[in-house]
Amino acid sequence: MRSRRAEVAAALAAANGAFVSGESIARRIGVSRTAVAKQVQGLRECGYRVESANRRGYRLVALPEETVPPEVERLVTDPFWNRFDGGVVTASTNDDCKRLARDGAPEGAVVVAAEQTAGRGRLGRQWISPRGGAYFSALLRPPVAPADAPPLALVCSLGIAAALEAAGAPVMLKWPNDVYLGWRKLGGVLLEMAAEADRVQWVVAGCGINVRRTPELAPEAASLDEVAPMRPAEVAAIALDGIAQAYREFVRAGFAGLVEQYERRHLLPGREVTVRDLAGGTVAHGEAMGVDGMGRLLVRTAEGPVPVVAGEVTLAPTGGER
Ligand code: BTN
């Protein structure tokens, strides 16, 4: 069920720029006019431009550009996503979502923000998060053992890639969790989890996608506006829908059911790679063969094929890529 705020946003958007009375919105969603006025104020604080006029009601003049909760909630179509928290600015949506997870929030809760002041990437890196990107974290409670959870990074990045591709952006994947545009990084997934010995309690999948080129973005990074003009809020919503679809398949059949879709977009097969662990030690070096049914990267080394569960991949240069 949508939140009141998203219901009011939907009612305003449905009027297509015409005035709509507070009373008709109130009737439509079953609340008082005062409650509608309060939600309209909340929407304005999130970046919706809403005019109000005596006896005419409210008129939506402009939607927010950024990934703010009511707008992402209004645009998401998959009912798997059932709760939207966050705000205009937060430190890290992953930290907020982990708090929800520990407080017992159900699977399908989402935290979104237009801007993060302490966004985090993999391997302890910073994730610079100015306005103009899509930043969100999704709470999952997969019915699997901890050893079977790592492919979820691939599942989420695949869901994002499939959704962006359907929206006209020819994006690719780099094992384990990166979304690429050409040979440049467009986005990534940070997976964090808590588990008991034989059961995952929760997984928080944090996703960052560069949507508009802003001065803070590294020159070697890609942004979606190079190929598709979309609002960050739209990008977050379609990415969430893509993740829900891929996640359902993972829960039904494991990663094996998604290998073919992943490989179709995978940049690494055939390339010479070095996979390193957190400490920088080499885990495997050789030709990347592709991923297996457990989401492991198979590397053809001098000693034979090695399945790699986790690590950071660097490519031997052949020109063009980074
Ligand atoms: C990577 O290193 O490629 C993963 C980047 C993940 C960034 C996202 S932005 C939303 C969520 N909140 C965070 O602090 N990090 C993730």
Side-chain angles (χ1 to χ4, degrees), residues 53-91:
N54 267 345
R55 284 195 291 275
R56 299 184 74 188
Y58 303 102
R59 186 166 87 91
L60 181 63
V61 180
L63 292 165
E65 285 289 312
E66 312 299 349
T67 43
V68 287
E71 186 60 0
V72 178
E73 182 177 359
R74 184 180 78 83
L75 295 170
V76 153
T77 61
D78 200 303
F80 179 76
W81 307 116
N82 53 58
R83 164 179 176 168
F84 289 77
D85 286 58
V88 178
V89 183
T90 192

PDB file of all heavy atoms in Angstrom, residues 53-91:
ATOM      1  N   ALA A  53      -4.131  27.722  -4.656  1.00  0.00           N
ATOM      2  CA  ALA A  53      -4.947  28.917  -4.868  1.00  0.00           C
ATOM      3  C   ALA A  53      -6.280  28.711  -4.163  1.00  0.00           C
ATOM      4  O   ALA A  53      -6.834  27.607  -4.198  1.00  0.00           O
ATOM      5  CB  ALA A  53      -5.190  29.138  -6.359  1.00  0.00           C
ATOM      6  N   ASN A  54      -6.765  29.806  -3.564  1.00  0.00           N
ATOM      7  CA  ASN A  54      -8.046  29.756  -2.853  1.00  0.00           C
ATOM      8  C   ASN A  54      -9.145  29.202  -3.736  1.00  0.00           C
ATOM      9  O   ASN A  54      -9.288  29.605  -4.881  1.00  0.00           O
ATOM     10  CB  ASN A  54      -8.449  31.183  -2.430  1.00  0.00           C
ATOM     11  CG  ASN A  54      -7.951  31.449  -1.029  1.00  0.00           C
ATOM     12  OD1 ASN A  54      -7.573  30.497  -0.327  1.00  0.00           O
ATOM     13  ND2 ASN A  54      -7.921  32.713  -0.632  1.00  0.00           N
ATOM     14  N   ARG A  55      -9.914  28.295  -3.185  1.00  0.00           N
ATOM     15  CA  ARG A  55     -11.073  27.677  -3.837  1.00  0.00           C
ATOM     16  C   ARG A  55     -10.732  26.824  -5.075  1.00  0.00           C
ATOM     17  O   ARG A  55     -11.584  26.157  -5.625  1.00  0.00           O
ATOM     18  CB  ARG A  55     -12.126  28.722  -4.222  1.00  0.00           C
ATOM     19  CG  ARG A  55     -12.906  29.194  -2.993  1.00  0.00           C
ATOM     20  CD  ARG A  55     -14.154  29.933  -3.388  1.00  0.00           C
ATOM     21  NE  ARG A  55     -13.871  31.211  -3.998  1.00  0.00           N
ATOM     22  CZ  ARG A  55     -13.659  32.329  -3.300  1.00  0.00           C
ATOM     23  NH1 ARG A  55     -13.696  32.304  -1.984  1.00  0.00           N
ATOM     24  NH2 ARG A  55     -13.408  33.454  -3.914  1.00  0.00           N
ATOM     25  N   ARG A  56      -9.469  26.836  -5.533  1.00  0.00           N
ATOM     26  CA  ARG A  56      -9.140  25.994  -6.693  1.00  0.00           C
ATOM     27  C   ARG A  56      -8.351  24.759  -6.261  1.00  0.00           C
ATOM     28  O   ARG A  56      -8.406  23.734  -6.914  1.00  0.00           O
ATOM     29  CB  ARG A  56      -8.338  26.795  -7.722  1.00  0.00           C
ATOM     30  CG  ARG A  56      -9.136  27.988  -8.240  1.00  0.00           C
ATOM     31  CD  ARG A  56      -8.376  28.719  -9.312  1.00  0.00           C
ATOM     32  NE  ARG A  56      -8.373  27.981 -10.562  1.00  0.00           N
ATOM     33  CZ  ARG A  56      -7.655  28.324 -11.627  1.00  0.00           C
ATOM     34  NH1 ARG A  56      -6.879  29.384 -11.585  1.00  0.00           N
ATOM     35  NH2 ARG A  56      -7.708  27.614 -12.724  1.00  0.00           N
ATOM     36  N   GLY A  57      -7.616  24.921  -5.182  1.00  0.00           N
ATOM     37  CA  GLY A  57      -6.868  23.765  -4.681  1.00  0.00           C
ATOM     38  C   GLY A  57      -5.389  23.820  -5.026  1.00  0.00           C
ATOM     39  O   GLY A  57      -4.762  24.879  -4.935  1.00  0.00           O
ATOM     40  N   TYR A  58      -4.863  22.696  -5.474  1.00  0.00           N
ATOM     41  CA  TYR A  58      -3.422  22.572  -5.718  1.00  0.00           C
ATOM     42  C   TYR A  58      -3.159  22.245  -7.186  1.00  0.00           C
ATOM     43  O   TYR A  58      -3.938  21.558  -7.836  1.00  0.00           O
ATOM     44  CB  TYR A  58      -2.839  21.438  -4.872  1.00  0.00           C
ATOM     45  CG  TYR A  58      -3.071  21.593  -3.395  1.00  0.00           C
ATOM     46  CD1 TYR A  58      -4.067  20.857  -2.745  1.00  0.00           C
ATOM     47  CD2 TYR A  58      -2.308  22.483  -2.644  1.00  0.00           C
ATOM     48  CE1 TYR A  58      -4.281  20.992  -1.382  1.00  0.00           C
ATOM     49  CE2 TYR A  58      -2.516  22.619  -1.280  1.00  0.00           C
ATOM     50  CZ  TYR A  58      -3.505  21.881  -0.655  1.00  0.00           C
ATOM     51  OH  TYR A  58      -3.712  22.011   0.687  1.00  0.00           O
ATOM     52  N   ARG A  59      -1.991  22.716  -7.624  1.00  0.00           N
ATOM     53  CA  ARG A  59      -1.588  22.424  -9.012  1.00  0.00           C
ATOM     54  C   ARG A  59      -0.111  22.050  -9.006  1.00  0.00           C
ATOM     55  O   ARG A  59       0.730  22.799  -8.497  1.00  0.00           O
ATOM     56  CB  ARG A  59      -1.802  23.689  -9.850  1.00  0.00           C
ATOM     57  CG  ARG A  59      -1.576  23.510 -11.313  1.00  0.00           C
ATOM     58  CD  ARG A  59      -2.137  24.712 -12.041  1.00  0.00           C
ATOM     59  NE  ARG A  59      -1.145  25.769 -12.118  1.00  0.00           N
ATOM     60  CZ  ARG A  59      -0.283  25.904 -13.128  1.00  0.00           C
ATOM     61  NH1 ARG A  59      -0.306  25.049 -14.120  1.00  0.00           N
ATOM     62  NH2 ARG A  59       0.587  26.882 -13.138  1.00  0.00           N
ATOM     63  N   LEU A  60       0.191  20.877  -9.568  1.00  0.00           N
ATOM     64  CA  LEU A  60       1.587  20.428  -9.628  1.00  0.00           C
ATOM     65  C   LEU A  60       2.272  21.099 -10.818  1.00  0.00           C
ATOM     66  O   LEU A  60       1.863  20.917 -11.963  1.00  0.00           O
ATOM     67  CB  LEU A  60       1.638  18.903  -9.795  1.00  0.00           C
ATOM     68  CG  LEU A  60       3.025  18.283  -9.852  1.00  0.00           C
ATOM     69  CD1 LEU A  60       3.800  18.497  -8.562  1.00  0.00           C
ATOM     70  CD2 LEU A  60       2.904  16.790 -10.153  1.00  0.00           C
ATOM     71  N   VAL A  61       3.286  21.897 -10.524  1.00  0.00           N
ATOM     72  CA  VAL A  61       3.985  22.636 -11.585  1.00  0.00           C
ATOM     73  C   VAL A  61       5.218  21.866 -12.057  1.00  0.00           C
ATOM     74  O   VAL A  61       5.537  21.844 -13.241  1.00  0.00           O
ATOM     75  CB  VAL A  61       4.397  24.042 -11.079  1.00  0.00           C
ATOM     76  CG1 VAL A  61       5.126  24.827 -12.149  1.00  0.00           C
ATOM     77  CG2 VAL A  61       3.182  24.795 -10.572  1.00  0.00           C
ATOM     78  N   ALA A  62       5.923  21.231 -11.139  1.00  0.00           N
ATOM     79  CA  ALA A  62       7.108  20.452 -11.538  1.00  0.00           C
ATOM     80  C   ALA A  62       7.358  19.328 -10.545  1.00  0.00           C
ATOM     81  O   ALA A  62       7.168  19.490  -9.341  1.00  0.00           O
ATOM     82  CB  ALA A  62       8.333  21.364 -11.620  1.00  0.00           C
ATOM     83  N   LEU A  63       7.774  18.207 -11.101  1.00  0.00           N
ATOM     84  CA  LEU A  63       8.136  17.052 -10.277  1.00  0.00           C
ATOM     85  C   LEU A  63       9.575  17.216  -9.792  1.00  0.00           C
ATOM     86  O   LEU A  63      10.364  17.903 -10.444  1.00  0.00           O
ATOM     87  CB  LEU A  63       8.046  15.776 -11.120  1.00  0.00           C
ATOM     88  CG  LEU A  63       6.654  15.357 -11.555  1.00  0.00           C
ATOM     89  CD1 LEU A  63       6.738  14.317 -12.667  1.00  0.00           C
ATOM     90  CD2 LEU A  63       5.881  14.799 -10.355  1.00  0.00           C
ATOM     91  N   PRO A  64       9.939  16.565  -8.718  1.00  0.00           N
ATOM     92  CA  PRO A  64      11.342  16.664  -8.291  1.00  0.00           C
ATOM     93  C   PRO A  64      12.239  15.861  -9.227  1.00  0.00           C
ATOM     94  O   PRO A  64      11.821  14.835  -9.760  1.00  0.00           O
ATOM     95  CB  PRO A  64      11.341  16.030  -6.893  1.00  0.00           C
ATOM     96  CG  PRO A  64      10.170  15.134  -6.888  1.00  0.00           C
ATOM     97  CD  PRO A  64       9.155  15.704  -7.834  1.00  0.00           C
ATOM     98  N   GLU A  65      13.421  16.345  -9.439  1.00  0.00           N
ATOM     99  CA  GLU A  65      14.389  15.642 -10.268  1.00  0.00           C
ATOM    100  C   GLU A  65      14.972  14.455  -9.515  1.00  0.00           C
ATOM    101  O   GLU A  65      15.272  13.419 -10.089  1.00  0.00           O
ATOM    102  CB  GLU A  65      15.561  16.596 -10.589  1.00  0.00           C
ATOM    103  CG  GLU A  65      15.247  17.648 -11.607  1.00  0.00           C
ATOM    104  CD  GLU A  65      15.104  17.035 -12.986  1.00  0.00           C
ATOM    105  OE1 GLU A  65      15.982  16.244 -13.370  1.00  0.00           O
ATOM    106  OE2 GLU A  65      14.102  17.319 -13.663  1.00  0.00           O
ATOM    107  N   GLU A  66      15.186  14.637  -8.226  1.00  0.00           N
ATOM    108  CA  GLU A  66      16.094  13.753  -7.501  1.00  0.00           C
ATOM    109  C   GLU A  66      15.393  12.545  -6.900  1.00  0.00           C
ATOM    110  O   GLU A  66      14.177  12.432  -6.905  1.00  0.00           O
ATOM    111  CB  GLU A  66      16.806  14.549  -6.394  1.00  0.00           C
ATOM    112  CG  GLU A  66      17.383  15.879  -6.847  1.00  0.00           C
ATOM    113  CD  GLU A  66      18.438  15.743  -7.947  1.00  0.00           C
ATOM    114  OE1 GLU A  66      18.885  14.619  -8.223  1.00  0.00           O
ATOM    115  OE2 GLU A  66      18.794  16.781  -8.537  1.00  0.00           O
ATOM    116  N   THR A  67      16.227  11.639  -6.339  1.00  0.00           N
ATOM    117  CA  THR A  67      15.685  10.427  -5.721  1.00  0.00           C
ATOM    118  C   THR A  67      15.176  10.751  -4.321  1.00  0.00           C
ATOM    119  O   THR A  67      15.879  10.574  -3.332  1.00  0.00           O
ATOM    120  CB  THR A  67      16.743   9.300  -5.659  1.00  0.00           C
ATOM    121  OG1 THR A  67      17.991   9.840  -5.260  1.00  0.00           O
ATOM    122  CG2 THR A  67      16.925   8.661  -6.996  1.00  0.00           C
ATOM    123  N   VAL A  68      13.961  11.269  -4.248  1.00  0.00           N
ATOM    124  CA  VAL A  68      13.318  11.515  -2.952  1.00  0.00           C
ATOM    125  C   VAL A  68      12.234  10.448  -2.768  1.00  0.00           C
ATOM    126  O   VAL A  68      11.643   9.976  -3.741  1.00  0.00           O
ATOM    127  CB  VAL A  68      12.713  12.944  -2.865  1.00  0.00           C
ATOM    128  CG1 VAL A  68      13.819  13.978  -2.730  1.00  0.00           C
ATOM    129  CG2 VAL A  68      11.822  13.243  -4.047  1.00  0.00           C
ATOM    130  N   PRO A  69      11.979  10.045  -1.505  1.00  0.00           N
ATOM    131  CA  PRO A  69      11.110   8.886  -1.276  1.00  0.00           C
ATOM    132  C   PRO A  69       9.741   8.935  -1.959  1.00  0.00           C
ATOM    133  O   PRO A  69       9.372   7.954  -2.636  1.00  0.00           O
ATOM    134  CB  PRO A  69      10.998   8.818   0.253  1.00  0.00           C
ATOM    135  CG  PRO A  69      12.227   9.509   0.754  1.00  0.00           C
ATOM    136  CD  PRO A  69      12.564  10.562  -0.249  1.00  0.00           C
ATOM    137  N   PRO A  70       8.957  10.020  -1.849  1.00  0.00           N
ATOM    138  CA  PRO A  70       7.610   9.917  -2.430  1.00  0.00           C
ATOM    139  C   PRO A  70       7.621   9.770  -3.945  1.00  0.00           C
ATOM    140  O   PRO A  70       6.731   9.119  -4.516  1.00  0.00           O
ATOM    141  CB  PRO A  70       6.922  11.229  -2.015  1.00  0.00           C
ATOM    142  CG  PRO A  70       7.997  12.128  -1.542  1.00  0.00           C
ATOM    143  CD  PRO A  70       9.177  11.297  -1.166  1.00  0.00           C
ATOM    144  N   GLU A  71       8.612  10.360  -4.593  1.00  0.00           N
ATOM    145  CA  GLU A  71       8.643  10.285  -6.059  1.00  0.00           C
ATOM    146  C   GLU A  71       9.065   8.886  -6.525  1.00  0.00           C
ATOM    147  O   GLU A  71       8.491   8.340  -7.472  1.00  0.00           O
ATOM    148  CB  GLU A  71       9.581  11.368  -6.613  1.00  0.00           C
ATOM    149  CG  GLU A  71       9.593  11.489  -8.115  1.00  0.00           C
ATOM    150  CD  GLU A  71       8.232  11.835  -8.741  1.00  0.00           C
ATOM    151  OE1 GLU A  71       7.238  11.993  -8.004  1.00  0.00           O
ATOM    152  OE2 GLU A  71       8.165  11.911  -9.979  1.00  0.00           O
ATOM    153  N   VAL A  72      10.040   8.305  -5.845  1.00  0.00           N
ATOM    154  CA  VAL A  72      10.444   6.943  -6.217  1.00  0.00           C
ATOM    155  C   VAL A  72       9.275   5.994  -5.928  1.00  0.00           C
ATOM    156  O   VAL A  72       8.932   5.137  -6.741  1.00  0.00           O
ATOM    157  CB  VAL A  72      11.728   6.524  -5.467  1.00  0.00           C
ATOM    158  CG1 VAL A  72      12.113   5.086  -5.825  1.00  0.00           C
ATOM    159  CG2 VAL A  72      12.881   7.470  -5.805  1.00  0.00           C
ATOM    160  N   GLU A  73       8.623   6.202  -4.803  1.00  0.00           N
ATOM    161  CA  GLU A  73       7.469   5.354  -4.439  1.00  0.00           C
ATOM    162  C   GLU A  73       6.345   5.491  -5.466  1.00  0.00           C
ATOM    163  O   GLU A  73       5.707   4.515  -5.853  1.00  0.00           O
ATOM    164  CB  GLU A  73       6.970   5.758  -3.044  1.00  0.00           C
ATOM    165  CG  GLU A  73       5.812   4.896  -2.584  1.00  0.00           C
ATOM    166  CD  GLU A  73       5.349   5.228  -1.171  1.00  0.00           C
ATOM    167  OE1 GLU A  73       5.939   6.121  -0.522  1.00  0.00           O
ATOM    168  OE2 GLU A  73       4.382   4.596  -0.726  1.00  0.00           O
ATOM    169  N   ARG A  74       6.092   6.721  -5.912  1.00  0.00           N
ATOM    170  CA  ARG A  74       5.018   6.956  -6.893  1.00  0.00           C
ATOM    171  C   ARG A  74       5.315   6.223  -8.203  1.00  0.00           C
ATOM    172  O   ARG A  74       4.415   5.733  -8.873  1.00  0.00           O
ATOM    173  CB  ARG A  74       4.898   8.466  -7.153  1.00  0.00           C
ATOM    174  CG  ARG A  74       3.770   8.871  -8.065  1.00  0.00           C
ATOM    175  CD  ARG A  74       3.736  10.375  -8.270  1.00  0.00           C
ATOM    176  NE  ARG A  74       4.745  10.849  -9.214  1.00  0.00           N
ATOM    177  CZ  ARG A  74       4.624  10.839 -10.535  1.00  0.00           C
ATOM    178  NH1 ARG A  74       3.526  10.370 -11.097  1.00  0.00           N
ATOM    179  NH2 ARG A  74       5.601  11.298 -11.308  1.00  0.00           N
ATOM    180  N   LEU A  75       6.601   6.142  -8.575  1.00  0.00           N
ATOM    181  CA  LEU A  75       6.968   5.591  -9.884  1.00  0.00           C
ATOM    182  C   LEU A  75       7.208   4.078  -9.896  1.00  0.00           C
ATOM    183  O   LEU A  75       7.109   3.449 -10.936  1.00  0.00           O
ATOM    184  CB  LEU A  75       8.231   6.308 -10.401  1.00  0.00           C
ATOM    185  CG  LEU A  75       8.053   7.798 -10.709  1.00  0.00           C
ATOM    186  CD1 LEU A  75       9.409   8.454 -10.973  1.00  0.00           C
ATOM    187  CD2 LEU A  75       7.133   7.998 -11.906  1.00  0.00           C
ATOM    188  N   VAL A  76       7.554   3.525  -8.743  1.00  0.00           N
ATOM    189  CA  VAL A  76       7.798   2.077  -8.686  1.00  0.00           C
ATOM    190  C   VAL A  76       6.507   1.330  -8.997  1.00  0.00           C
ATOM    191  O   VAL A  76       5.432   1.741  -8.575  1.00  0.00           O
ATOM    192  CB  VAL A  76       8.324   1.706  -7.273  1.00  0.00           C
ATOM    193  CG1 VAL A  76       8.003   0.293  -6.903  1.00  0.00           C
ATOM    194  CG2 VAL A  76       9.828   1.947  -7.191  1.00  0.00           C
ATOM    195  N   THR A  77       6.620   0.242  -9.768  1.00  0.00           N
ATOM    196  CA  THR A  77       5.394  -0.508 -10.086  1.00  0.00           C
ATOM    197  C   THR A  77       5.339  -1.866  -9.390  1.00  0.00           C
ATOM    198  O   THR A  77       4.279  -2.460  -9.293  1.00  0.00           O
ATOM    199  CB  THR A  77       5.255  -0.735 -11.610  1.00  0.00           C
ATOM    200  OG1 THR A  77       6.386  -1.496 -12.042  1.00  0.00           O
ATOM    201  CG2 THR A  77       5.204   0.574 -12.377  1.00  0.00           C
ATOM    202  N   ASP A  78       6.482  -2.390  -8.949  1.00  0.00           N
ATOM    203  CA  ASP A  78       6.479  -3.745  -8.374  1.00  0.00           C
ATOM    204  C   ASP A  78       6.054  -3.706  -6.911  1.00  0.00           C
ATOM    205  O   ASP A  78       6.681  -3.020  -6.094  1.00  0.00           O
ATOM    206  CB  ASP A  78       7.885  -4.360  -8.498  1.00  0.00           C
ATOM    207  CG  ASP A  78       7.828  -5.870  -8.385  1.00  0.00           C
ATOM    208  OD1 ASP A  78       7.318  -6.370  -7.360  1.00  0.00           O
ATOM    209  OD2 ASP A  78       8.267  -6.545  -9.323  1.00  0.00           O
ATOM    210  N   PRO A  79       4.975  -4.453  -6.576  1.00  0.00           N
ATOM    211  CA  PRO A  79       4.455  -4.423  -5.199  1.00  0.00           C
ATOM    212  C   PRO A  79       5.412  -5.022  -4.167  1.00  0.00           C
ATOM    213  O   PRO A  79       5.164  -4.933  -2.965  1.00  0.00           O
ATOM    214  CB  PRO A  79       3.161  -5.240  -5.274  1.00  0.00           C
ATOM    215  CG  PRO A  79       3.272  -6.042  -6.518  1.00  0.00           C
ATOM    216  CD  PRO A  79       4.195  -5.333  -7.451  1.00  0.00           C
ATOM    217  N   PHE A  80       6.516  -5.629  -4.631  1.00  0.00           N
ATOM    218  CA  PHE A  80       7.508  -6.161  -3.692  1.00  0.00           C
ATOM    219  C   PHE A  80       8.019  -5.046  -2.781  1.00  0.00           C
ATOM    220  O   PHE A  80       8.304  -5.259  -1.612  1.00  0.00           O
ATOM    221  CB  PHE A  80       8.672  -6.765  -4.487  1.00  0.00           C
ATOM    222  CG  PHE A  80       9.759  -7.313  -3.619  1.00  0.00           C
ATOM    223  CD1 PHE A  80       9.605  -8.522  -2.961  1.00  0.00           C
ATOM    224  CD2 PHE A  80      10.956  -6.619  -3.444  1.00  0.00           C
ATOM    225  CE1 PHE A  80      10.618  -9.029  -2.145  1.00  0.00           C
ATOM    226  CE2 PHE A  80      11.966  -7.117  -2.634  1.00  0.00           C
ATOM    227  CZ  PHE A  80      11.790  -8.336  -1.983  1.00  0.00           C
ATOM    228  N   TRP A  81       8.138  -3.835  -3.341  1.00  0.00           N
ATOM    229  CA  TRP A  81       8.646  -2.690  -2.558  1.00  0.00           C
ATOM    230  C   TRP A  81       7.480  -2.102  -1.777  1.00  0.00           C
ATOM    231  O   TRP A  81       6.527  -1.617  -2.367  1.00  0.00           O
ATOM    232  CB  TRP A  81       9.299  -1.655  -3.474  1.00  0.00           C
ATOM    233  CG  TRP A  81      10.344  -2.291  -4.344  1.00  0.00           C
ATOM    234  CD1 TRP A  81      10.334  -2.399  -5.702  1.00  0.00           C
ATOM    235  CD2 TRP A  81      11.548  -2.939  -3.911  1.00  0.00           C
ATOM    236  NE1 TRP A  81      11.446  -3.069  -6.146  1.00  0.00           N
ATOM    237  CE2 TRP A  81      12.218  -3.411  -5.072  1.00  0.00           C
ATOM    238  CE3 TRP A  81      12.138  -3.169  -2.666  1.00  0.00           C
ATOM    239  CZ2 TRP A  81      13.430  -4.100  -5.010  1.00  0.00           C
ATOM    240  CZ3 TRP A  81      13.351  -3.860  -2.617  1.00  0.00           C
ATOM    241  CH2 TRP A  81      13.974  -4.302  -3.772  1.00  0.00           C
ATOM    242  N   ASN A  82       7.552  -2.170  -0.462  1.00  0.00           N
ATOM    243  CA  ASN A  82       6.355  -1.880   0.324  1.00  0.00           C
ATOM    244  C   ASN A  82       6.508  -0.732   1.312  1.00  0.00           C
ATOM    245  O   ASN A  82       5.555  -0.372   1.999  1.00  0.00           O
ATOM    246  CB  ASN A  82       5.926  -3.149   1.074  1.00  0.00           C
ATOM    247  CG  ASN A  82       7.086  -3.719   1.875  1.00  0.00           C
ATOM    248  OD1 ASN A  82       7.641  -3.044   2.729  1.00  0.00           O
ATOM    249  ND2 ASN A  82       7.474  -4.946   1.591  1.00  0.00           N
ATOM    250  N   ARG A  83       7.697  -0.163   1.402  1.00  0.00           N
ATOM    251  CA  ARG A  83       7.872   0.923   2.364  1.00  0.00           C
ATOM    252  C   ARG A  83       9.042   1.787   1.885  1.00  0.00           C
ATOM    253  O   ARG A  83      10.085   1.253   1.504  1.00  0.00           O
ATOM    254  CB  ARG A  83       8.187   0.285   3.720  1.00  0.00           C
ATOM    255  CG  ARG A  83       8.752   1.229   4.721  1.00  0.00           C
ATOM    256  CD  ARG A  83       9.009   0.539   6.039  1.00  0.00           C
ATOM    257  NE  ARG A  83       9.644   1.531   6.913  1.00  0.00           N
ATOM    258  CZ  ARG A  83       9.815   1.371   8.195  1.00  0.00           C
ATOM    259  NH1 ARG A  83       9.425   0.264   8.789  1.00  0.00           N
ATOM    260  NH2 ARG A  83      10.391   2.311   8.910  1.00  0.00           N
ATOM    261  N   PHE A  84       8.850   3.104   1.892  1.00  0.00           N
ATOM    262  CA  PHE A  84       9.874   4.013   1.385  1.00  0.00           C
ATOM    263  C   PHE A  84      10.257   5.016   2.457  1.00  0.00           C
ATOM    264  O   PHE A  84       9.428   5.826   2.862  1.00  0.00           O
ATOM    265  CB  PHE A  84       9.379   4.732   0.121  1.00  0.00           C
ATOM    266  CG  PHE A  84       9.288   3.802  -1.054  1.00  0.00           C
ATOM    267  CD1 PHE A  84       8.240   2.907  -1.176  1.00  0.00           C
ATOM    268  CD2 PHE A  84      10.272   3.794  -2.013  1.00  0.00           C
ATOM    269  CE1 PHE A  84       8.169   2.014  -2.230  1.00  0.00           C
ATOM    270  CE2 PHE A  84      10.217   2.909  -3.084  1.00  0.00           C
ATOM    271  CZ  PHE A  84       9.160   2.015  -3.191  1.00  0.00           C
ATOM    272  N   ASP A  85      11.516   4.943   2.895  1.00  0.00           N
ATOM    273  CA  ASP A  85      12.022   5.889   3.888  1.00  0.00           C
ATOM    274  C   ASP A  85      13.139   6.710   3.243  1.00  0.00           C
ATOM    275  O   ASP A  85      13.482   6.502   2.098  1.00  0.00           O
ATOM    276  CB  ASP A  85      12.589   5.127   5.095  1.00  0.00           C
ATOM    277  CG  ASP A  85      11.487   4.544   5.966  1.00  0.00           C
ATOM    278  OD1 ASP A  85      10.696   3.755   5.434  1.00  0.00           O
ATOM    279  OD2 ASP A  85      11.419   4.894   7.145  1.00  0.00           O
ATOM    280  N   GLY A  86      13.700   7.602   4.034  1.00  0.00           N
ATOM    281  CA  GLY A  86      14.813   8.408   3.543  1.00  0.00           C
ATOM    282  C   GLY A  86      14.414   9.861   3.491  1.00  0.00           C
ATOM    283  O   GLY A  86      13.505  10.297   4.190  1.00  0.00           O
ATOM    284  N   GLY A  87      15.085  10.621   2.657  1.00  0.00           N
ATOM    285  CA  GLY A  87      14.785  12.051   2.587  1.00  0.00           C
ATOM    286  C   GLY A  87      15.662  12.703   1.544  1.00  0.00           C
ATOM    287  O   GLY A  87      16.244  12.028   0.701  1.00  0.00           O
ATOM    288  N   VAL A  88      15.743  14.020   1.627  1.00  0.00           N
ATOM    289  CA  VAL A  88      16.519  14.747   0.629  1.00  0.00           C
ATOM    290  C   VAL A  88      18.016  14.470   0.848  1.00  0.00           C
ATOM    291  O   VAL A  88      18.741  14.143  -0.083  1.00  0.00           O
ATOM    292  CB  VAL A  88      16.204  16.263   0.692  1.00  0.00           C
ATOM    293  CG1 VAL A  88      17.063  17.027  -0.317  1.00  0.00           C
ATOM    294  CG2 VAL A  88      14.729  16.498   0.421  1.00  0.00           C
ATOM    295  N   VAL A  89      18.461  14.586   2.089  1.00  0.00           N
ATOM    296  CA  VAL A  89      19.885  14.346   2.394  1.00  0.00           C
ATOM    297  C   VAL A  89      19.993  13.348   3.542  1.00  0.00           C
ATOM    298  O   VAL A  89      19.266  13.445   4.531  1.00  0.00           O
ATOM    299  CB  VAL A  89      20.588  15.656   2.831  1.00  0.00           C
ATOM    300  CG1 VAL A  89      22.086  15.401   3.065  1.00  0.00           C
ATOM    301  CG2 VAL A  89      20.417  16.763   1.807  1.00  0.00           C
ATOM    302  N   THR A  90      20.912  12.408   3.403  1.00  0.00           N
ATOM    303  CA  THR A  90      21.223  11.528   4.529  1.00  0.00           C
ATOM    304  C   THR A  90      22.715  11.206   4.463  1.00  0.00           C
ATOM    305  O   THR A  90      23.370  11.496   3.458  1.00  0.00           O
ATOM    306  CB  THR A  90      20.357  10.246   4.510  1.00  0.00           C
ATOM    307  OG1 THR A  90      20.502   9.571   5.756  1.00  0.00           O
ATOM    308  CG2 THR A  90      20.749   9.298   3.396  1.00  0.00           C
ATOM    309  N   ALA A  91      23.232  10.596   5.516  1.00  0.00           N
ATOM    310  CA  ALA A  91      24.654  10.235   5.486  1.00  0.00           C
ATOM    311  C   ALA A  91      24.856   9.090   4.497  1.00  0.00           C
ATOM    312  O   ALA A  91      25.600   9.208   3.523  1.00  0.00           O
ATOM    313  CB  ALA A  91      25.124   9.858   6.886  1.00  0.00           C
TER     314      ALA A  91
END
